[in-house]
């Protein structure tokens, strides 16, 4: 199967940890308002001491879950304010959800325009907190959105996508087809054993960005499956550690702003 799998992370999945915290943090659940007036859930973690760009986290196809709430905390521990957003406020409300939440039903009702309106609202929230330099970091479905969010009008200082499918999907053009509309820097991290994203698909995206003159870097981890960035899988610890290092280096190259 190409593209995103039915389940990216299980409901009890936990993100890997990158070393010791650099600072203390605080976190809270928020309800944000999108451009069309719709409300959606978000989760914000703030570092006491900043070390670089703020991060807008775009979850996988399950939407906002404990995995991404914890990930904002891991990012904040390293000095990066981080906000994870949900995709399903219009159809599922803004409250917490059970492990058996039927996310695929709600994913089928999501529309590109409202998804990007919510992404823009998330970025506005971070900027209202005083963080003018924002990078978006997405996973699976959110990784594809992150690549597409490299459009100049959204104002991101860079985008990072982990195992985001870049090619045409369900008849819709992807980042590969829209490479000429994107700008860098872009960091793409992929699993070499990802059954949904072939090496040929990654290569075509790489070549499209090259052709469009978009600054980017792609890393493929041999033997790593889709959703390899997860705690508790010793065989993937090296890939997780390298991915963390690359993401943090990318973020710290972006100035912290005012």
């Amino acid at each position: 199967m190409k593209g995103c799998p039915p389940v990216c992370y299980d409901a009890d999945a936990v993100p890997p940890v990158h070393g010791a915290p650099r600072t203390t943090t605080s976190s809270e659940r928020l309800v944000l308002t999108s451009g069309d007036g719709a409300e959606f859930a978000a989760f914000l973690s703030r570092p006491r001491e900043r070390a670089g760009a703020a991060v807008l986290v775009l979850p996988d196809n399950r939407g906002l879950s404990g995995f991404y709430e914890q990930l904002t905390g891991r990012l904040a521990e390293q000095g990066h304010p981080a906000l994870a957003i949900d995709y399903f406020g219009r159809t599922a409300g803004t409250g917490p959800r059970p492990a058996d939440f039927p996310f695929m039903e709600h994913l089928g009702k999501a529309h590109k325009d409202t998804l990007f309106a919510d992404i823009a609202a998330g970025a506005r929230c971070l900027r209202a907190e005083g963080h003018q330099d924002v990078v978006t970091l997405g996973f699976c479905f959110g990784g594809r959105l992150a690549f597409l969010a490299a459009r100049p009008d959204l104002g991101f200082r860079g985008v990072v996508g982990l195992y985001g499918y870049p090619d045409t999907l369900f008849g819709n053009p992807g980042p590969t087809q829209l490479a000429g509309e994107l700008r860098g820097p872009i960091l793409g991290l992929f699993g070499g054993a990802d059954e949904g994203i072939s090496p040929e698909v990654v290569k075509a995206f790489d070549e499209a960005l090259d052709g469009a003159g978009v600054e980017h870097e792609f890393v493929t981890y041999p033997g790593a499956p889709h959703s390899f960035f997860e705690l508790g899988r010793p065989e993937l610890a090296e890939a997780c550690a390298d991915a963390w290092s690359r993401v943090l280096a990318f973020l710290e190259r972006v100035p912290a702003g005012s």
Side-chain angles (χ1 to χ4, degrees):
M1 181 184 68
K2 72 177 184 178
C4 300
V7 176
C8 187
Y9 287 114
D10 291 335
D12 60 353
V14 177
V17 177
H18 177 79
R22 297 173 61 169
T23 182
T24 57
T25 69
S26 61
S27 300
E28 64 176 317
R29 189 177 179 90
L30 304 175
V31 174
L32 303 183
T33 302
S34 192
D36 63 350
E39 293 186 334
F40 64 95
F43 193 89
L44 175 65
S45 291
R46 302 177 178 95
R48 181 176 179 181
E49 299 177 8
R50 289 184 58 192
V55 186
L56 180 66
V57 177
L58 303 182
D60 61 72
N61 49 15
R62 190 184 290 275
L64 184 61
S65 67
F67 181 95
Y68 297 102
E69 293 179 355
Q70 292 178 68
L71 181 61
T72 67
R74 302 291 81 80
L75 288 160
E77 286 175 351
Q78 300 304 317
H80 300 282
L83 177 78
I85 65 170
D86 185 48
Y87 305 128
F88 309 129
R90 292 168 185 80
T91 58
T94 61
R97 293 166 190 152
D100 61 353
F101 170 65
F103 59 92
M104 290 301 291
E105 295 177 16
H106 295 272
L107 185 66
K109 299 173 184 176
H111 298 281
K112 183 177 80 169
D113 290 346
T114 52
L115 286 168
F116 280 98
D118 295 353
I119 290 170
R124 283 197 301 273
C125 176
L126 285 169
R127 291 172 183 137
E129 293 256 322
H131 313 307
Q132 298 308 307
D133 296 305
V134 181
V135 168
T136 185
L137 167 64
F139 295 76
C140 185
F141 176 73
R144 179 180 175 89
L145 290 178
F147 292 143
L148 291 169
R151 304 187 325 239
D153 60 295
L154 288 169
F156 291 114
R157 293 297 304 272
V159 305
V160 183
L162 280 81
Y163 24 88
Y165 188 71
D167 209 348
T168 299
L169 192 60
F170 305 122
N172 298 310
T176 300
Q177 290 71 41
L178 301 174
E181 300 178 15
L182 309 181
R183 73 174 185 188
I186 294 173
L187 174 62
L189 304 177
F190 301 93
D194 189 331
E195 295 182 359
I197 305 177
S198 70
E200 293 75 20
V201 165
V202 176
K203 181 180 178 182
F205 186 26
D206 183 30
E207 292 176 345
L209 292 174
D210 276 339
V214 178
E215 177 188 353
H216 67 286
E217 179 186 10
F218 288 171
V219 179
T220 297
Y221 297 98
H226 194 85
S227 308
F228 65 82
F229 193 74
E230 182 180 353
L231 188 67
R233 304 182 67 176
E235 74 280 11
L236 300 174
E238 186 174 344
C240 288
D242 187 78
W244 254 128
S245 294
R246 291 178 185 276
V247 169
L248 291 173
F250 186 93
L251 295 175
E252 290 173 12
R253 287 195 295 269
V254 175
S258 57

